[in-house]
Amino acid sequence: MFTNKARILVIGLFVILLAVILKLRIYELAAVAALFIFLLIWGYFKQGTIVLAAKAFHQKEYTKAENLLRQIARPDWLSKKRRGFYEFIYGGICLQKQEYTEAERHYELAAQYPLRSANDHVAALVHVANINVRNGNYDKARAYLSLTEKYKEHITAKMKDVILKVEQELKKH
């Protein structure tokens, strides 16, 4: 749960601590300090700033969330759970900015990864279907909507209403 600047600062402090500990020849503590440095670096690549971005996104601070997501240089290196959440949040940000093509791409990627809950997975699929209805690509919308069927028992009432509205729109075409 660090920004990149905070992570670098903490790593720097541990490097200084490691140097002092090595000078004092306390190798057990040096190993612990090296382990913490490794964990911070590993967290940068596997966890990123997703938790902070999710918090900002849920507080409707979309610019802050986007800036936190942009700090992730290689999203393909994130762990599978974090990658799905990264794409899901980025899709939501793109929807807020009305960048529907980008939102569709991010939600399609999010649907390929495990998400926090089945309802989030359904939300990603429904967003892709809804965007395709807006763009007039009804076959693709139907295909994505049909993928929600396997999550039927996990869908919330609110999501069922959204699915119903998209289905009604598809029946018109």
Side-chain angles (χ1 to χ4, degrees), residues 45-58:
F45 290 109
K46 292 296 182 181
Q47 305 296 320
T49 55
I50 301 294
V51 174
L52 295 173
K55 185 177 178 182
F57 183 78
H58 289 296

Side-chain angles (χ1 to χ4, degrees), residues 104-166:
E104 178 184 6
R105 186 177 69 80
H106 286 292
Y107 279 126
E108 283 177 341
L109 285 170
Q112 295 173 11
Y113 291 96
L115 293 170
R116 191 176 45 168
S117 68
N119 198 55
D120 286 345
H121 202 83
V122 170
L125 295 169
V126 170
H127 280 305
V128 173
N130 199 11
I131 290 168
N132 280 292
V133 167
R134 284 181 186 214
N135 293 337
N137 193 348
Y138 303 112
D139 291 333
K140 189 173 180 180
R142 283 186 187 90
Y144 272 94
L145 210 55
S146 69
L147 293 174
T148 63
E149 291 295 320
K150 63 181 174 183
Y151 300 103
K152 226 174 192 173
E153 64 275 355
H154 302 290
I155 300 174
T156 63
K158 184 178 179 181
M159 190 55 64
K160 285 180 183 177
D161 288 341
V162 173
I163 291 172
L164 212 81
K165 288 177 184 177
V166 174

Side-chain angles (χ1 to χ4, degrees), residues 32-47:
V32 171
L35 177 67
F36 282 132
I37 292 169
F38 170 76
L39 288 175
L40 286 165
I41 293 171
W42 178 83
Y44 169 77
F45 290 109
K46 292 296 182 181
Q47 305 296 320

